[in-house]
Amino acid sequence: MSTLHFDLLGSTLSILAFISLIYMPEVNTEGDVAGQRLTLSVDVTKPLHITTPSYLSITISGGQLRRGLIGYDFSSQRLQNLAAALSPAGVRIGGTYSDFLHFDPTSDDANCVDVTEPGKNIQDSDSVVIAVEEARQMKRASFSIGNLGFTMSGQRWDNITRFCDQVGWDILWDLNLLDHPNETWDPTVVKEFLDYSSSRGVKIPMFELGNEPNLYERKFHIHLEADELAKDYSTLKDLLSQMPQYAASGLYAPGVNNLDTFSSSRKYLAQFLQNSGCDMIAEVALHHYYFKKEEASLADFVDVEVMDTLRTQLEFAYNISWNSCRLRKPIRFTETSTASGGGVPKVSNAFIAGFLWLDKLGLSATYGVTRVFRQTFLKSSYALVTQTLKPNPDYYLSVLFKRLVEGPVFRVYDEGLTPTVRVYAHCVSKSHYNYPDGAIVVYYLNVGTEASVLSLGQFKETDAHLFILSPGDEEGMLSRKVKLNDELLEMNGSDLPSLDPKFHSGDVPLAPKTFGFIVIPEADVQLCKQYHRHDDGKIVSC
């Protein structure tokens, strides 16, 4: 078994891995086809669910707000292009530090954010390990956690909202729940923030209140019962109903983490929903990570059993929702990535992380998850983009997903498929490549060490367009670069590469340790024709 070893500060990382995990395959889409033959079988007679264009969304962490949004030069054309390529999308601005954020519209922006003290070396993540440890040691018995607080100015908020409008991001704002002068949440400060935002015409179609409140006791020695949280959401809902700009905004809760791992999370979710939570929220909000960064092995990133732990989480969520509400509530992941605590250094931002990311997108869609907010857009080990605005491999994977996947989700029958090959199918998006009505897209991941061959089954008489991703250099699975159809993807100044398909006839080779998209332009699927020809199918709801 391959393993990762690193110290608690994340300063060292040594990797012992099978050569099969590091092996970088050559992707041959021409000539002879060899390998285990698989047949694609898709039920296109009825959709499992419908994904919107904003299904894949992103996050900006509260910790990044506290540290002055390092790397976010909103005037940068490169940053604007990187962000706009992921639109339309939601952007969840929140996390651990959201519960320590205060808003002062008149404060001096140059002095409104606490900068990490020299030697603290807090990683750019929502774990805020050192700060949380300080909070634990102080054993505060109230909601007054002063030295973790920071202030956001009106100027900074204006800059953020203008940028989101410019690049096509809808805001999911995570409000401070720990601002409790007494034992109940007081909306006075939030009202000031909303009044300011409303006066500026700021659109905030989505709100959360607090971050992982089920963990407050462990993190901060603060106990907040699920029924109390439901009352706080009722207070927030009443406040929003009085504000025309935000009366129709959706509420999402309770943001509990990993139902598959923690029975306490399942209990908290059930109690929240049963104590009027069902009436307060538009959808159930969950967080999900496959593992903690300090417990991860390299093999975990390509392990189908690890991938299927997400299935367990979703089944728990839907069962709890079904049993607690008159009508089962939709579900979204408002924070999710590979490993918690900022991700595994040099791994969560490498090519190998794409297997878990693509499978999460596919599996979540088949279960009807409405949105998947990727943690994070910029700066951290699990980010899509580095602080110096270099795209990580998952960024290009995400852009391709945005450009290709939309609308009806179809059931793919796995009879005859090897366990190491996973396949998903949707109608294709027409927004970028302008594919014909009725086209579908199939996407796959081959985590095995052997090549496979995919026969297109009922679509075998039609040609395909291939978007096959593979490692970009000799680092193999740990490469920070990626190739599309054997061509290295690199930005040209501020411009993204073209991401063009390769035209292909016949069976499709699935090289080991690769993933990608197969578009069948002439699939002539009636449900996709109906979706593509009706504007109603394009309406995005929050």
Side-chain angles (χ1 to χ4, degrees):
M1 176 68 70
S2 56
T3 57
L4 296 176
H5 301 284
F6 45 89
D7 64 15
L8 292 177
L9 294 178
S11 60
T12 62
L13 174 65
S14 63
I15 301 170
L16 304 174
F18 291 125
I19 191 66
S20 62
L21 286 177
I22 304 300
Y23 167 65
M24 181 176 65
E26 292 295 327
V27 182
N28 176 22
T29 57
E30 305 286 347
D32 295 336
V33 176
Q36 181 180 3
R37 187 169 297 276
L38 312 172
T39 299
L40 178 67
S41 179
V42 183
D43 181 0
V44 296
T45 63
K46 56 183 181 296
L48 294 172
H49 300 284
I50 306 289
T51 57
T52 72
S54 296
Y55 169 71
L56 191 164
S57 293
I58 63 275
T59 73
I60 297 174
S61 76
Q64 290 170 323
L65 277 179
R66 186 176 187 264
R67 289 184 288 279
L69 289 175
I70 298 172
Y72 282 92
D73 175 5
F74 294 133
S75 66
S76 164
Q77 188 63 54
R78 186 180 177 102
L79 176 64
Q80 293 169 17
N81 291 350
L82 287 166
L86 294 172
S87 70
V91 55
R92 187 238 189 184
I93 305 176
T96 300
Y97 268 120
S98 290
D99 281 319
F100 307 102
L101 183 152
H102 304 281
F103 177 72
D104 182 355
T106 63
S107 67
D108 181 357
D109 192 62
N111 299 314
C112 69
V113 179
D114 294 341
V115 178
T116 304
E117 296 177 15
K120 289 277 187 170
N121 192 29
I122 298 180
Q123 277 199 327
D124 184 24
S125 73
D126 278 333
S127 63
V128 291
V129 175
I130 296 173
V132 168
E133 283 303 315
E134 290 175 351
R136 287 175 179 167
Q137 291 170 13
M138 294 177 73
K139 295 186 177 181
R140 292 175 174 85
S142 72
F143 287 95
S144 174
I145 309 182
N147 73 331
L148 296 183
F150 68 103
T151 300
M152 181 178 68
S153 70
Q155 176 187 339
R156 174 147 292 160
W157 179 231
D158 291 343
N159 291 339
I160 292 170
T161 57
R162 279 195 297 265
F163 177 77
C164 290
D165 278 344
Q166 181 179 11
V167 301
W169 290 358
D170 291 328
I171 294 172
L172 167 56
W173 184 254
D174 188 6
L175 294 164
N176 184 341
L177 177 59
L178 295 189
D179 193 9
H180 277 60
N182 299 302
E183 290 303 314
T184 58
W185 183 67
D186 186 344
T188 303
V189 176
V190 166
K191 186 177 187 306
E192 182 181 9
F193 167 73
L194 294 176
D195 284 339
Y196 178 90
S197 300
S198 179
S199 72
R200 295 295 200 274
V202 174
K203 295 177 291 185
I204 313 177
M206 299 166 280
F207 288 98
E208 285 183 299
L209 184 56
N211 182 73
E212 298 178 353
N214 60 308
L215 297 183
Y216 282 172
E217 186 164 21
R218 179 170 67 83
K219 286 182 177 181
F220 313 121
H221 293 276
I222 296 168
H223 187 69
L224 182 66
E225 293 284 0
D227 62 334
E228 295 173 354
L229 179 66
K231 293 176 183 177
D232 293 338
Y233 266 89
S234 179
T235 302
L236 174 59
K237 189 169 186 176
D238 288 343
L239 172 63
L240 295 177
S241 69
Q242 301 167 27
M243 310 189 73
Q245 180 81 351
Y246 307 116
S249 297
L251 299 182
Y252 303 88
V256 297
N257 59 322
N258 282 63
L259 302 179
D260 57 313
T261 305
F262 303 116
S263 60
S264 59
S265 293
R266 300 194 292 272
K267 180 180 179 181
Y268 200 94
L269 172 60
Q271 290 178 340
F272 172 79
L273 295 176
Q274 290 164 9
N275 284 276
S276 77
C278 297
D279 299 325
M280 297 300 109
I281 61 174
E283 297 179 5
V284 172
L286 302 175
H287 295 179
H288 177 265
Y289 295 90
Y290 290 100
F291 31 69
K292 299 177 181 178
K293 68 176 183 180
E294 61 270 17
E295 297 175 357
S297 73
L298 196 62
D300 288 336
F301 284 77
V302 288
D303 189 335
V304 294
E305 292 185 2
V306 171
M307 294 173 183
D308 280 338
T309 61
L310 176 62
R311 190 187 305 272
T312 303
Q313 158 118 345
L314 290 169
E315 289 173 351
F316 272 129
Y318 280 119
N319 286 336
I320 293 170
S321 175
W322 183 265
N323 292 331
S324 302
C325 302
R326 292 187 301 275
L327 295 175
R328 189 177 72 175
K329 285 288 182 180
I331 289 171
R332 61 174 50 190
F333 288 118
T334 54
E335 180 183 315
T336 189
S337 196
T338 52
S340 61
V344 181
K346 301 182 181 180
V347 182
S348 289
N349 49 12
F351 178 83
I352 195 171
F355 293 97
L356 289 178
W357 179 222
L358 186 58
D359 191 71
K360 176 170 289 185
L361 291 169
L363 189 59
S364 296
T366 64
Y367 271 81
V369 173
T370 62
R371 295 221 189 166
V372 180
F373 286 78
R374 167 62 184 256
Q375 181 89 340
T376 61
F377 173 65
L378 189 147
K379 193 193 174 192
S380 63
S381 293
Y382 46 35
L384 296 178
V385 179
T386 71
Q387 182 178 323
T388 55
L389 302 186
K390 294 180 180 178
N392 286 320
D394 273 5
Y395 173 81
Y396 288 116
L397 171 57
S398 299
V399 171
L400 281 171
F401 192 96
K402 296 290 289 190
R403 292 182 178 182
L404 294 171
V405 179
E406 182 189 331
V409 185
F410 298 117
R411 183 182 303 280
V412 177
Y413 294 103
D414 57 5
E415 290 84 354
L417 291 180
T418 175
T420 56
V421 175
R422 296 163 80 95
V423 180
Y424 301 95
H426 294 240
C427 292
V428 78
S429 172
K430 291 166 58 70
S431 61
H432 187 82
Y433 296 101
N434 197 30
Y435 282 113
D437 296 339
I440 72 165
V441 58
V442 174
Y443 50 103
Y444 81 93
L445 46 143
N446 182 1
V447 298
T449 58
E450 302 294 331
S452 295
V453 178
L454 184 65
S455 169
L456 297 183
Q458 66 258 51
F459 313 108
K460 63 184 177 181
E461 300 301 325
T462 63
D463 293 336
H465 292 181
L466 305 186
F467 301 81
I468 309 301
L469 295 164
S470 58
D473 57 25
E474 66 278 359
E475 294 295 325
M477 292 292 101
L478 298 181
S479 176
R480 298 287 296 277
K481 298 181 179 180
V482 62
K483 290 180 178 178
L484 175 64
N485 299 324
D486 290 329
E487 297 293 328
L488 183 65
L489 296 180
E490 294 184 293
M491 293 190 70
N492 179 18
S494 298
D495 296 329
L496 271 66
S498 58
L499 304 181
D500 293 329
K502 176 173 284 189
F503 302 104
H504 182 83
S505 297
D507 295 343
V508 178
L510 310 181
K513 298 299 189 296
T514 63
F515 44 80
F517 303 84
I518 305 163
V519 176
I520 308 173
E522 304 301 328
D524 197 36
V525 173
Q526 291 302 308
L527 282 173
C528 294
K529 283 185 174 182
Q530 295 171 15
Y531 179 81
H532 289 146
R533 291 176 180 175
H534 289 82
D535 290 338
D536 289 345
K538 302 291 183 170
I539 293 175
V540 181
S541 65
C542 293

